Amino acid sequence: MKKPSLTFQIFIALILGVAVGLLMQHCSDVAVKYIKPFGVIFLNLIKFIVVPLVMLSIICGIISMKDISKLGKLGGKTLLFFFSTTVIAASLGLGISSLFKNVFPIIDLPTVDLSNEAPRLDVMQQIVDIFPGNFIDPMFTMNMMQVIVIAVFIGLAIVLVGEKAKPAADVLVSFNEIVTRILGMILAVAPIGVFCLLCPVVAVNGPSVLGSLAVLIGIAYLCFTIHAVVVYGSSVRLLGRMSPWKFFKSEFPAMLFAFSSDSSVATLPVNMKCTQKMGVPKSIGDFVLSLGATINMDGVAIYLGVTSVFIAHCYGIDLTMGQYVAIAISSTIASIGTPGIPGGSLALMAAVFASAGIPMEGVAVVAGIDRIIDMGRTMMSVTGDAACSVVVSRKERTL
């Protein structure tokens, strides 16, 4: 018999965690004392891999873009579009979820230490704190914003040095593959970790958590719809001079394939055919879509923003403006380094939580519904790639 997929295993763990948690409401202390520790072990494994995963993903992403500089305006326009829409996506996720945050319950987790909650800093101080004072400390303290800055500088330096930096680049790419494999090993026990972390949560808080997860899914898909219609629709109309109806009608096969396959890379051939039907030249379409499948993750940026607000409110944390800025920036940059393996966004979610002082235990609360939301965010990212190819082709006067 074929082994069940990791997604299916996590989904089953979610169901079992909820069921067992409901049955243990009258002995929740037993669940907290004897079940949760195994979940904490899984969480610690996620924590230990977060820093190398994010750092190496971003460095290798920048290294892979070395050929883009040779393409001049084409590469610049593509990156500008991707970056702009991702910033909008992260801001949209934060804004919409903040409007609905009062419908989320406050989860009581006595063992969670909130003493390290991010201080209330003004925006300028938050900007200053993005830049590290030394190389090692951000990795020990898991200051993800500073880790990201370090990764960006290393990646840019390798590209600028050129051929002499090739040995270092090869080593980093190799380590990135190793770290990705380690993450895969950790995620292999994710079903056990999800069960052991979610069961005590339900046992302590009761069924109120379940309704909140349904609200989270609804808000995420609301953000996806708004971003697709408003941002992508207006982009192809105003910048690409194409009817949004024609765009979405032509793109629908790729959107449907992305939704069902849950993979931007697997959708790439279908997306290329769809954009060619829109009139995008193959040379531009291949470049933009291939690059977008790697670094354009608007759906992930929305998801990270929504879940950050959701988990923060569940733990009773009133996010400050500085924390909102930290989430927006880290969601934008971290989404670029999303690992191309099932469940890879869970590690990035932990990184974004760490950047804003949100307890990383919250990852387990949403891990069970990750697949449901992942289908939508993959569809979003693929649609954004197609919209960019239309806009770039129009600007290059080749559409």
Side-chain angles (χ1 to χ4, degrees):
M1 295 180 61
K2 185 178 180 181
K3 182 180 178 181
S5 66
L6 177 64
T7 300
F8 182 76
Q9 294 178 47
I10 292 178
F11 180 75
I12 295 299
L14 169 68
I15 300 299
L16 292 176
V18 170
V20 176
L22 291 174
L23 294 175
M24 298 185 69
Q25 288 186 74
H26 299 294
C27 55
S28 59
D29 55 332
V30 175
V32 172
K33 185 175 181 179
Y34 294 103
I35 296 179
K36 184 176 179 179
F38 294 99
V40 173
I41 292 174
F42 167 72
L43 187 64
N44 287 341
L45 292 174
I46 288 288
K47 288 180 180 179
F48 111 84
I49 202 64
V50 161
V51 170
L53 176 70
V54 172
M55 172 171 276
L56 290 171
S57 294
I58 293 176
I59 291 175
C60 293
I62 294 175
I63 292 174
S64 67
M65 291 189 294
K66 59 184 179 181
D67 292 335
I68 297 177
S69 60
K70 301 177 182 179
L71 298 176
K73 295 181 179 180
L74 180 61
K77 292 173 182 176
T78 302
L79 292 177
L80 179 61
F81 183 93
F82 286 158
F83 180 76
S84 300
T85 57
T86 304
V87 170
I88 295 173
S91 302
L92 178 67
L94 287 171
I96 298 297
S97 57
S98 296
L99 295 177
F100 292 93
K101 68 179 182 180
N102 290 327
V103 303
F104 301 143
I106 295 180
I107 297 177
D108 180 22
L109 284 180
T111 57
V112 174
D113 180 14
L114 298 181
S115 60
N116 293 325
E117 181 178 343
R120 295 176 177 270
L121 304 174
D122 57 37
V123 176
M124 292 307 300
Q125 185 61 46
Q126 190 74 24
I127 294 175
V128 171
D129 291 341
I130 290 176
F131 298 91
N134 64 68
F135 188 87
I136 302 298
D137 186 64
M139 302 178 195
F140 280 104
T141 60
M142 289 192 69
N143 187 325
M144 299 312 300
M145 291 303 303
Q146 295 185 358
V147 169
I148 290 172
V149 170
I150 292 173
V152 170
F153 273 104
I154 294 176
L156 290 175
I158 290 175
V159 172
L160 293 175
V161 170
E163 189 64 28
K164 290 183 179 180
K166 190 177 185 303
D170 292 339
V171 170
L172 291 171
V173 170
S174 177
F175 271 109
N176 185 49
E177 293 295 326
I178 294 172
V179 169
T180 301
R181 178 57 61 90
I182 293 174
L183 178 60
M185 296 164 60
I186 295 172
L187 291 175
V189 298
I192 299 174
V194 168
F195 172 83
C196 294
L197 283 170
L198 191 57
C199 175
V201 171
V202 177
V204 172
N205 297 275
S208 62
V209 178
L210 306 180
S212 184
L213 291 178
V215 173
L216 174 62
I217 295 173
I219 292 175
Y221 274 88
L222 174 63
C223 293
F224 293 157
T225 303
I226 294 175
H227 190 72
V229 173
V230 177
V231 178
Y232 297 152
S234 60
S235 296
V236 297
R237 162 61 75 182
L238 300 177
L239 301 177
R241 299 179 187 176
M242 177 182 291
S243 166
W245 170 255
K246 176 184 177 181
F247 170 77
F248 286 112
K249 183 180 179 180
S250 301
E251 181 65 10
F252 184 74
M255 295 171 66
L256 187 61
F257 188 90
F259 187 83
S260 58
S261 68
D262 194 24
S263 173
S264 299
V265 176
T267 311
L268 196 54
V270 180
N271 209 13
M272 288 177 176
K273 292 182 179 179
C274 290
T275 54
Q276 288 176 26
K277 291 182 179 179
M278 299 178 201
V280 176
K282 188 176 186 302
S283 58
I284 292 181
D286 289 356
F287 167 75
V288 174
L289 297 178
S290 299
L291 181 62
T294 305
I295 68 171
N296 182 40
M297 301 292 174
D298 289 1
V300 175
I302 290 176
Y303 175 62
L304 293 175
V306 172
T307 52
S308 296
V309 174
F310 168 74
I311 294 300
H313 189 75
C314 284
Y315 284 113
I317 299 175
D318 186 17
L319 294 174
T320 65
M321 180 57 68
Q323 287 171 296
Y324 274 115
V325 172
I327 294 171
I329 296 175
S330 58
S331 296
T332 300
I333 300 179
S335 63
I336 298 174
T338 303
I341 59 177
S345 61
L346 297 180
L348 292 181
M349 189 187 304
V352 173
F353 287 179
S355 72
I358 301 172
M360 285 185 281
E361 286 82 351
V363 172
V365 179
V366 297
I369 61 170
D370 184 73
R371 165 69 180 188
I372 300 175
I373 300 180
D374 194 27
M375 294 186 295
R377 65 179 183 239
T378 301
M379 181 174 63
M380 282 292 305
S381 300
V382 167
T383 308
D385 298 342
C388 181
S389 68
V390 171
V391 171
V392 171
S393 296
R394 175 63 66 185
K395 294 302 179 182
E396 292 292 314
R397 300 181 181 180
T398 56
L399 184 65

